[in-house]
Amino acid sequence: MGQRCADTRAVTFENVVVPDENRIGDEGYGFKLAMGAFDRTRPVVGASAVGLAQRAHDESIKYAQQRKTFGQPIIGHQAVAMMIAEMNMGIEASRLLCHKAAWLIDNGYPSNTLYASMGKAMASDVAMKSATDAVQVFGGYGYNTEYPVEKLMRDAKIFQIYEGTSQIQRLIILKNELATGKHDVK
């Protein structure tokens, strides 16, 4: 479907024994170790999704300034202008959440799980919506492989799936909020 340069495959290990000297961390700690890695990788995935959304936004503006209907560029039509403005709002909000998640890591906070999940979930959803809206701005051309937005739409979907689905991110966000009784780092 999308991101065709990333050849993703399933890998299965059966009856594998890892010698103690090759193990990372204590026995039984692997799952927690792997989940902790997501706190560092989810902001990066979110930032990639922000980049895709930004490209969809930029392509939409460029096309909407050139394409004319009823004697004016379609960017002057309220429905098109609102779609593009909403892309911009979502992109900026997503970018800030991803920056905060990365900042927390860089500044030695013990956990950035909440913001890593918030940034990844929001940026993924914004990327998908921005790509979908870009296809809409392009009209019939948006579905055509001669224009870049159809590829952006195909590529955007994976952001809502890998590194934990958008639904899993929401469960993490709620679990964190319920456990701490707050939603912000002091």
Side-chain angles (χ1 to χ4, degrees):
M1 188 174 177
Q3 296 196 7
R4 293 181 179 163
C5 64
D7 191 17
T8 305
R9 301 278 181 214
V11 177
T12 303
F13 296 98
E14 295 178 8
N15 302 318
V16 174
V17 177
V18 177
D20 287 346
E21 64 269 11
N22 295 342
R23 189 177 59 230
I24 300 172
D26 296 329
E27 189 171 337
Y29 187 70
F31 181 76
K32 188 169 183 163
L33 183 68
M35 293 300 103
F38 285 137
D39 289 347
R40 294 183 176 273
T41 58
R42 285 181 177 144
V44 176
V45 170
S48 298
V50 168
L52 187 146
Q54 185 69 59
R55 172 85 190 275
H57 172 267
D58 295 349
E59 292 291 342
S60 294
I61 286 180
K62 186 169 78 174
Y63 181 80
Q65 288 174 329
Q66 295 170 354
R67 176 78 168 105
K68 291 185 178 182
T69 60
F70 306 108
Q72 69 171 332
I74 64 170
I75 201 161
H77 299 307
Q78 190 175 37
V80 172
M82 286 186 181
M83 280 192 286
I84 294 171
E86 281 192 30
M87 285 182 210
N88 195 8
M89 293 179 339
I91 290 163
E92 289 305 314
S94 298
R95 182 177 286 127
L96 289 171
L97 279 170
C98 292
H99 277 215
K100 183 162 186 175
W103 182 89
L104 291 169
I105 292 170
D106 290 347
N107 287 279
Y109 280 80
S111 176
N112 74 330
T113 302
L114 175 63
Y115 286 96
S117 289
M118 285 179 158
K120 195 269 184 192
M122 184 165 190
S124 298
D125 291 348
V126 165
M128 191 69 226
K129 182 166 180 4
S130 295
T132 302
D133 286 350
V135 168
Q136 193 70 25
V137 168
F138 275 67
Y141 290 126
Y143 203 71
N144 188 320
T145 58
E146 292 177 32
Y147 291 87
V149 293
E150 69 83 28
K151 180 184 182 309
L152 295 175
M153 187 172 173
R154 285 187 288 107
D155 289 348
K157 186 60 190 167
I158 194 64
F159 289 115
Q160 293 179 314
I161 298 169
Y162 67 18
E163 296 280 328
T165 65
S166 293
Q167 293 76 20
I168 291 295
Q169 301 314 307
R170 285 164 173 78
L171 290 175
I172 293 168
I173 292 163
L174 180 62
K175 183 179 177 183
N176 187 290
E177 189 169 3
L178 294 176
T180 62
K182 59 184 179 182
H183 71 278
D184 203 357
V185 176
K186 299 291 182 205

